[in-house]
Amino acid sequence: MAVLGFTLATFLLVLYVSSVANYPNGKVGRSCHGMVPEHGHTAHSDPVHNISVSQMTFRRGDQIEVTLSGPPFRGFLLEARNAEDLSGPPIGSFTLIDSQVSQLLTCEDVQGYAVSHTSPSKKTKVKVYWNALSNAPNNVKFLVTVVEKYKTYWVKIPGPIISQPNALPFTTPEATIAPLSTLPPVSHLTKSFSASDCGNKKFCIRSPLNCDPEKEHACFFLSFARDDQSVVVEMSGPSQGYLSFAFSHDRWMGDDDAYLCIREDQTVHIQPSHLTGRSHPVMDSRGALEDMAWRLADGVIQCSFRRNITLPGVKNRFDLNTSYYIFLADGAADNGRIYKHSRQPLITYEKHNVTGYPKNVGGSRSLFLLKTHGALMFVAWMTTVSIGVLIARFFKPVWSKAFLGQAAWFQVHRMLMLITTALTCIAFVLPFIYRGGWSSYAGYHPYLGCIVMILAVLQPLLAAFRPPLHDPRRHIFNWTHWSMGTAARIIAVAAMFLGMDLPGLDLPGPWKTYVMIGFVAWHVGTEILLEIHAYRLSRKVEILDDARIQILQSCTVAEAEGHAFKKVVFAVYICGNVTFLIIFLSAINRL
């Protein structure tokens, strides 16, 4: 028992080690051509950083030191272009001076065409070498994009022009000032959204189902109301960062038409975007949206906009006269930069056409296969295996009568363990069916699950070759069987702790951790109580035997009292165990 308790405590401590979030790593190769960060904000037009070079003339094969300097900045993208064709591809190649600060990028399938940062740490000066290749033009101009913070950046800051010795003097063409693009106006909502028209005039998605954002702050609400050839969208939910929804052809994130309402200080930015794989959304132009409005109140973000049902010629926007799965998510944001949602998005159960007949639908943050996986594992490793272990350890003398050719305790124990193995096997394959293979996003949980699966299958196979009772090898079998079973139970508990926090299940609130700790304490406490009782009963019988008196009747009475006590403890334990199980199963059912 001491070893079991120590191991369980060790696992519980390990489970509280938090993961480290990743930071931007400067691998922005897909921005090489336009040099525009995909941040969804407008670039500043008054640069405060500058580029300097070690010499103003060059020959093919020369290496020129280029320095970027200015107030503290976090990111940059530096390129050299043909001064007579700044929209053309990068020219030459770069060599790093400090690889801790800068890194080479591959642009136009050429390594070293551009240089960027390696981390978001603040820096005031970066030095690199530019190499003049044999095909270098007569005049080369350096350009840099500098990011001070997510919403503050400058695009294509012009640097010096360097020329070959015999090149004609380069005259900078007269600048043409392009008109600033006008963003659609954004207004402020004066009152909260209402769910009164859901199912009548609006197509609504709500969580919890049938909640009303006008009355409940915890209500996640998304509605679509058709108005001739356009759709008015309303979205509401509690969040300090952002709310988002997306139209998807399947239940997987990627190649989706998404819309975000991002909180920044006391303002909300409404931003269309598109998703490519499981990466950061790419922000798109807001030109397709009209009548944008927002509201912040009591920790709730509300935003609305109008868009046409079809947007021919507008890239990444889906036609809304087709059925899609609809995702609804929320997450953290900092200075306008959004972070990955910490829990699984709400996903509709089936595809819907939001411009069709108004409906009132719900969704789930955990798909059926994953909910079934969790439920089966809870039943197997909280209830059936725990009861089976207690019966084998403490109830052999209580239920020793034969039943179907074997002792009753053994038949019950074997049945419960076979059920545990069967449930584990079924539950084990469900995530693989759902993911279509191995998941690299589930941390240590799948690795622990594989170990549990192997041990769960080996246990009945080992039991099938159990030596006879008085065989010399029986002692080895008993210890091996106990060790493997104990290891499987401990690892299963650790896997359940980790699995409860995975986005695919993500049981709500911190209570789940306390309930699981309560279950472990309940089971371990019961085992300790029965161990103490068994020890005291054995000592009592030994004392009677040492006194050399007529002990047959006394032993029988003591054993009967011991059996009655065990049965009472067992009944109470089962009630508690099933209570813990029902708590988890009901929570899974509500996801």
Side-chain angles (χ1 to χ4, degrees):
M1 288 303 299
V3 174
L4 174 61
F6 173 79
T7 309
L8 278 171
T10 303
F11 267 103
L12 292 176
L13 287 173
V14 170
L15 294 176
Y16 280 94
V17 177
S18 60
S19 61
V20 179
N22 292 323
Y23 290 95
N25 55 19
K27 295 182 178 179
V28 292
R30 65 183 181 184
S31 296
C32 283
H33 179 70
M35 300 184 70
V36 180
E38 296 173 344
H39 292 187
H41 293 270
T42 303
H44 287 227
S45 58
D46 50 345
V48 293
H49 303 83
N50 61 81
I51 305 172
S52 60
V53 294
S54 58
Q55 59 193 64
M56 297 303 294
T57 59
F58 72 93
R59 298 180 185 275
R60 291 178 174 88
D62 282 358
Q63 192 172 65
I64 298 173
E65 184 178 275
V66 183
T67 303
L68 168 64
S69 60
F73 57 95
R74 295 183 181 275
F76 69 94
L77 175 60
L78 175 64
E79 296 181 14
R81 299 280 181 96
N82 185 343
E84 300 175 18
D85 182 17
L86 294 180
S87 61
I91 297 297
S93 67
F94 288 92
T95 300
L96 302 180
I97 293 178
D98 185 354
S99 60
Q100 299 297 315
V101 175
S102 56
Q103 64 180 327
L104 299 178
L105 294 182
T106 299
C107 302
E108 306 286 338
D109 296 325
V110 178
Q111 171 73 7
Y113 256 7
V115 183
S116 71
H117 56 285
T118 58
S119 75
S121 60
K122 290 185 178 181
K123 49 192 79 69
T124 58
K125 182 181 291 186
V126 176
K127 291 185 177 183
V128 294
Y129 290 119
W130 179 75
N131 307 304
L133 303 182
S134 58
N135 61 347
N138 289 332
N139 302 287
V140 175
K141 187 182 186 71
F142 292 95
L143 301 174
V144 68
T145 291
V146 177
V147 177
E148 183 180 281
K149 55 184 180 181
Y150 188 74
K151 64 176 182 177
T152 305
Y153 54 88
W154 296 262
V155 174
K156 290 186 177 180
I157 300 173
I161 297 175
I162 59 174
S163 304
Q164 297 195 47
N166 299 326
L168 295 175
F170 180 78
T171 302
T172 304
E174 184 177 351
T176 300
I177 301 176
L180 294 176
S181 60
T182 57
L183 295 177
V186 180
S187 61
H188 193 274
L189 294 168
T190 57
K191 62 179 182 178
S192 178
F193 300 140
S194 173
S196 59
D197 290 330
C198 288
N200 297 319
K201 299 179 180 179
K202 296 179 180 178
F203 183 101
C204 296
I205 302 167
R206 293 185 275 176
S207 178
L209 189 64
N210 297 325
C211 67
D212 191 338
E214 192 174 26
K215 302 174 183 178
E216 304 169 54
H217 292 163
C219 179
F220 285 92
F221 173 83
L222 177 64
S223 73
F224 303 88
R226 180 165 184 168
D227 183 11
D228 194 19
Q229 295 304 309
S230 64
V231 174
V232 177
V233 180
E234 297 175 337
M235 181 164 56
S236 174
S239 177
Q240 296 300 317
Y242 70 92
L243 295 176
S244 67
F245 76 92
F247 298 108
S248 179
H249 296 288
D250 51 37
R251 293 177 177 269
W252 296 102
M253 177 178 168
D255 300 322
D256 305 328
D257 179 6
Y259 302 83
L260 301 100
C261 296
I262 307 169
R263 178 172 182 171
E264 185 177 351
D265 297 326
Q266 295 303 309
T267 304
V268 175
H269 300 286
I270 302 173
Q271 184 69 54
S273 66
H274 66 277
L275 303 172
T276 55
R278 303 187 67 171
S279 59
H280 197 277
V282 180
M283 303 303 177
D284 297 324
S285 169
R286 304 178 198 173
L289 307 186
E290 303 173 353
D291 300 340
M292 293 188 290
W294 59 270
R295 179 175 180 265
L296 289 174
D298 301 319
V300 175
I301 296 177
Q302 295 192 330
C303 60
S304 66
F305 62 87
R306 178 193 300 270
R307 61 148 286 187
N308 289 339
I309 294 175
T310 60
L311 292 168
V314 180
K315 192 176 180 181
N316 302 317
R317 302 281 74 83
F318 291 179
D319 290 343
L320 299 187
N321 50 12
T322 306
S323 295
Y324 304 100
Y325 288 105
I326 303 170
F327 289 55
L328 180 59
D330 64 292
D334 181 28
N335 287 322
R337 176 179 176 82
I338 68 170
Y339 295 89
K340 182 181 177 182
H341 44 79
S342 58
R343 59 175 176 167
Q344 189 83 350
L346 183 79
I347 307 174
T348 55
Y349 296 109
E350 57 184 305
K351 291 183 177 181
H352 294 284
N353 183 349
V354 298
T355 61
Y357 186 78
K359 294 180 181 179
N360 190 22
V361 304
S364 174
R365 295 188 184 274
S366 181
L367 298 182
F368 177 75
L369 288 177
L370 296 184
K371 293 200 290 187
T372 304
H373 166 79
L376 293 180
M377 286 299 191
F378 277 127
V379 172
W381 294 97
M382 282 184 63
T383 300
T384 57
V385 75
S386 300
I387 294 174
V389 167
L390 289 182
I391 289 174
R393 177 70 183 87
F394 300 104
F395 288 85
K396 291 179 182 178
V398 179
W399 294 313
S400 58
K401 293 184 179 180
F403 177 71
L404 298 178
Q406 295 281 358
W409 73 265
F410 178 77
Q411 296 284 33
V412 176
H413 170 76
R414 181 167 59 182
M415 178 189 67
L416 290 173
M417 293 309 177
L418 289 175
I419 291 174
T420 298
T421 300
L423 293 178
T424 302
C425 291
I426 296 171
F428 181 79
V429 301
L430 296 182
F432 290 96
I433 296 174
Y434 168 69
R435 292 291 306 174
W438 185 265
S439 173
S440 58
Y441 299 95
Y444 293 105
H445 176 77
Y447 297 97
L448 296 181
C450 288
I451 297 173
V452 171
M453 177 64 192
I454 293 171
L455 293 175
V457 172
L458 287 178
Q459 278 290 80
L461 293 177
L462 181 65
F465 296 97
R466 180 178 67 251
L469 181 61
H470 300 294
D471 191 289
R473 297 170 298 172
R474 182 61 176 257
H475 185 69
I476 298 174
F477 164 81
N478 289 341
W479 274 105
T480 304
H481 192 59
W482 177 86
S483 300
M484 290 175 59
T486 302
R489 290 162 59 205
I490 293 173
I491 298 172
V493 169
M496 286 190 289
F497 267 105
L498 292 175
M500 292 188 299
D501 287 323
L502 289 178
L505 191 61
D506 192 26
L507 294 179
W511 62 265
K512 60 182 180 289
T513 302
Y514 302 126
V515 173
M516 182 57 70
I517 292 174
F519 159 71
V520 173
W522 180 259
H523 181 84
V524 174
T526 301
E527 284 204 23
I528 292 174
L529 178 62
L530 290 175
E531 286 283 2
I532 294 173
H533 173 262
Y535 174 77
R536 289 176 61 86
L537 183 62
S538 64
R539 290 291 299 163
K540 183 176 181 180
V541 172
E542 288 177 4
I543 293 172
L544 289 173
D545 185 56
D546 289 342
R548 298 182 180 276
I549 59 176
Q550 186 66 32
I551 63 170
L552 181 60
Q553 185 175 357
S554 299
C555 286
T556 303
V557 172
E559 288 179 356
E561 292 175 352
H563 292 178
F565 177 80
K566 287 183 177 180
K567 290 177 181 177
V568 171
V569 172
F570 188 61
V572 173
Y573 170 79
I574 290 178
C575 291
N577 183 291
V578 172
T579 299
F580 285 114
L581 178 64
I582 290 174
I583 291 173
F584 282 112
L585 294 182
S586 61
I588 291 175
N589 184 59
R590 289 195 298 267
L591 291 176

